[in-house]
Amino acid sequence: MGSVAVLCDRVGIAGGAERYWETVIPALQARGLDVRLFAREVTSGESFDARPIRWADEAAPDSVSAAHDVAEALRELRPQTVITASVFDCAVLDAVRAAPARWLVRVHDHRPFCPTGDRVYPQFSAPCSAAMGHQCRLATLLRGCVRGPRVSSLRAIAARERVRDRIAGADGVLVSSEHMRATCTLNGIDGTRVAITPPPLPDAAFADPIAPPPATPTLLFAARPTARKGLASLIRALGRIARDDRPRLVVAGLTAGADPAALEAARAHNVEIEWRGMLDQRALRDAIDAASAVAVPSLWPEPFGLVGIEAQARGRPAVAYRVGGIPEWIGGAGIAVARGDERALAEAIRSIVNPRRWPAYAAAARSRAEAYRLDAHVTRLLEVCHAA
């Protein structure tokens, strides 16, 4: 049935992008495809073979030697399709474009269109809605974007524009949400070549039947250790709820010292936190089952928000800020409120853990998760790979 080459940034490091390939590549292989994976960084713990090729990361000059290695690998493999993901080395992208194969780019996040990486103004903590280019240069002066008003900022913007221009020349672009398709088109990518392929969930991710709610209402926050994920804002929202009515808060993905703003908010509002640290997939599912709901209080425009559908598959609703791609999956299986509105978030938390309302939210969550089955995702991906 042909072969596919995948070039991704990292393998073996926990994160949504890495989990995507760990889920999808075995499923593609099960469909009869010869899939070869190449990665800039390969660490311990990967679930399949990956060949390391040390191309440049997003902050380094392009690597001519890595581009040569990629070109040689593709000549040897002769794949029908090459998929690149989080590759910012333009020499490598040029080598991929020169190969006689269909080239697809999976855009996991905002970095191809934002040198800062999160489309949030660093000094003002407000989301950016501008296309990358002239507005970025102006924002370095007025809003401290990238590294502020320095020559290095202008160089970083120019380097990222070169990556964007390469992506615009690909045969297709894969994104997780309508929000990300709009971001692509804003940045000059032909919208007719952008396919929405939300991250899939393997069968093991689904709970049948779903676990009953915990005796003590519990809210789970699971994210990477970054302030943009909104843990401090969530804690302040919980502080608005009377102590006797407040659900307990469990935090996965980071330790107590990883977010100083969250610690300060917890002290100021007398909110107790159970810190769980990094969890593997099985432990994360157990933590979701032990919660009433998950919180996704992101303050940046989330490209998607994987933990939300992971919770839905376990029959757990979500409370969230209405940013980025979150409204596309939350539907009636949770409550999304305006970004940063901590009073509204507190009300949403009260509603979602209310014993009278919880069963309907939980059932809606479990039903909605069916849209993210792995088999359907692979079928759609193959359609895009084989498109004329």
Side-chain angles (χ1 to χ4, degrees), residues 62-350:
D62 296 340
S63 172
V64 175
S65 62
H68 176 269
D69 291 345
V70 167
E72 285 295 312
L74 295 181
R75 273 194 289 270
E76 179 182 345
L77 180 61
R78 300 176 64 185
Q80 280 71 52
T81 303
V82 180
I83 306 175
T84 61
S86 301
V87 177
F88 296 91
D89 187 320
C90 287
V92 169
L93 296 179
D94 289 343
V96 171
R97 178 69 288 177
R102 179 169 172 77
W103 176 29
L104 303 177
V105 179
R106 181 157 186 86
V107 175
H108 284 286
D109 53 37
H110 294 294
R111 288 180 295 163
F113 313 116
C114 175
T116 302
D118 58 8
R119 287 177 61 81
V120 174
Y121 296 118
Q123 292 184 350
F124 299 88
S125 297
C128 169
S129 59
M132 185 172 63
H134 172 69
Q135 291 296 322
C136 290
R137 296 177 178 88
L138 187 61
T140 64
L141 298 173
L142 302 180
R143 302 191 178 216
C145 273
V146 195
R147 302 178 188 95
R150 302 177 182 178
V151 172
S152 60
S153 292
L154 301 181
R155 289 175 179 161
I157 294 168
R160 203 54 56 86
E161 287 176 318
R162 289 193 292 272
V163 173
R164 175 205 59 198
D165 293 344
R166 264 61 172 195
I167 293 174
D171 296 303
V173 177
L174 307 168
V175 297
S176 295
S177 63
E178 183 62 53
H179 168 75
M180 287 305 297
R181 175 154 65 182
T183 300
C184 287
T185 57
L186 175 68
N187 284 278
I189 310 299
D190 181 358
T192 64
R193 292 189 291 111
V194 180
I196 300 175
T197 54
L201 298 172
D203 289 345
F206 291 81
D208 289 305
I210 66 173
T216 300
T218 301
L219 198 62
L220 175 68
F221 173 92
R224 291 177 285 112
T226 167
R228 301 298 190 207
K229 291 294 186 177
L231 177 56
S233 183
L234 171 63
I235 292 169
R236 289 192 294 268
L238 284 168
R240 291 178 171 272
I241 302 174
R243 192 175 182 84
D244 290 345
D245 296 328
R246 184 187 303 164
R248 60 190 286 264
L249 176 61
V250 175
V251 174
L254 61 163
T255 58
D259 191 337
L263 283 178
E264 177 58 32
R267 284 192 292 265
H269 297 276
N270 198 25
V271 173
E272 295 182 2
I273 303 173
E274 180 183 333
W275 300 91
R276 297 288 304 277
M278 291 297 298
L279 302 178
D280 62 24
Q281 281 301 288
R282 179 174 294 181
L284 177 60
R285 289 167 190 159
D286 289 343
I288 292 172
D289 289 348
S292 310
V294 299
V296 193
S298 292
L299 297 171
W300 72 308
E302 282 279 359
F304 187 77
L306 179 61
V307 71
I309 64 168
E310 289 177 321
Q312 288 179 346
R314 311 302 297 179
R316 294 307 189 252
V319 289
Y321 285 139
R322 195 165 45 246
V323 295
I326 289 174
E328 298 175 43
W329 56 257
I330 198 166
I335 304 173
V337 302
R339 176 188 184 273
D341 188 340
E342 292 166 1
R343 185 183 299 276
L345 186 62
E347 289 301 319
I349 292 168
R350 286 192 188 97

